[in-house]
Amino acid sequence: VPFGLSTSPAVLSHYGVAANTVTVFRRVDNDRRDLDMSNKDVDAEKITRFIRMNELRLVTEYNPRTAVGVMQSSFQLHLLLITDKMSPKHPERMHRYRLAAELFKGKILFIMVDSNLKSNEQTVSFFKLKKSQLPALAIFHVPDEEQDVLTLDEVSVEGVQDFCNRFLQ
């Protein structure tokens, strides 16, 4: 995780950060999270957990550690690529998915769900998918729980873009 340290009052003031604070600036949703370090029971493990829970990337891998950050995101639209992370096709799928994510930065939260993780079985079943139907895209509108699913043979930038645009319309 890229980071910076500062004790400069001008820098702290510019970012609106108090002294003794760890701040995570989430570029993907222009949001931030603060951890007050004044508390004596904050240790390296708690700082690491705080950062992992709150970091959101262009494509965020969904797992028990990132679930809180995903759920607290200001994004109302979540696009999930539900796929087998162990597949030999996974690196190329992710490359194309990231390229598509660039097109919707600030509009849709792009999430990758590894279908092999036991903790993700509930997510897969929420969209009424079976492992035989994967990979798949699932788009979810948080406020009204409207959703759509598209099973795929292959992930393409154009396919992701079309799916998102259809849902947005």
Side-chain angles (χ1 to χ4, degrees):
V1 176
F3 72 95
L5 297 172
S6 181
T7 57
S8 164
V11 172
L12 297 177
S13 175
H14 175 76
Y15 289 104
V17 176
N20 297 323
T21 302
V22 171
T23 301
V24 175
F25 295 96
R26 300 181 340 173
R27 284 186 281 180
V28 74
D29 63 357
N30 293 321
D31 203 0
R32 66 183 269 181
R33 299 288 190 271
D34 295 317
L35 175 64
D36 182 3
M37 296 295 294
S38 302
N39 192 337
K40 298 292 182 215
D41 70 340
V42 176
D43 58 13
E45 184 178 321
K46 287 183 181 168
I47 293 171
T48 301
R49 184 172 183 270
F50 170 77
I51 291 169
R52 292 289 176 230
M53 280 175 35
N54 289 294
E55 71 172 322
L56 290 180
R57 299 171 181 259
L58 194 56
V59 174
T60 300
E61 182 173 347
Y62 187 81
N63 57 47
R65 287 192 305 192
T66 61
V68 172
V70 168
M71 297 306 172
Q72 291 180 348
S73 163
S74 61
F75 284 99
Q76 301 214 340
L77 279 173
H78 296 180
L79 180 69
L80 290 74
L81 171 60
I82 305 169
T83 186
D84 176 358
K85 198 173 168 183
M86 302 310 278
S87 165
K89 295 180 179 182
H90 181 73
E92 187 57 35
R93 276 185 194 139
M94 286 305 297
H95 173 71
R96 289 192 217 109
Y97 192 57
R98 279 189 189 90
L99 290 175
E102 287 281 352
L103 302 172
F104 293 94
K105 188 175 181 180
K107 297 176 188 157
I108 299 174
L109 180 60
F110 277 62
I111 302 165
M112 190 281 297
V113 178
D114 183 2
S115 59
N116 289 319
L117 285 182
K118 186 151 183 70
S119 59
N120 288 338
E121 287 176 359
Q122 191 173 6
T123 303
V124 175
S125 67
F126 176 80
F127 292 103
K128 298 173 181 65
L129 289 166
K130 298 179 179 111
K131 279 205 173 201
S132 62
Q133 295 174 293
L134 302 178
L137 291 174
I139 196 163
F140 183 76
H141 186 242
V142 175
D144 60 11
E145 296 188 2
E146 183 181 348
Q147 61 178 278
D148 195 8
V149 175
L150 175 67
T151 57
L152 308 164
D153 289 325
E154 207 43 64
V155 175
S156 72
V157 175
E158 297 79 17
V160 172
Q161 187 176 15
D162 290 347
F163 180 65
C164 291
N165 284 333
R166 278 195 313 273
F167 190 82
L168 288 169
Q169 290 172 355

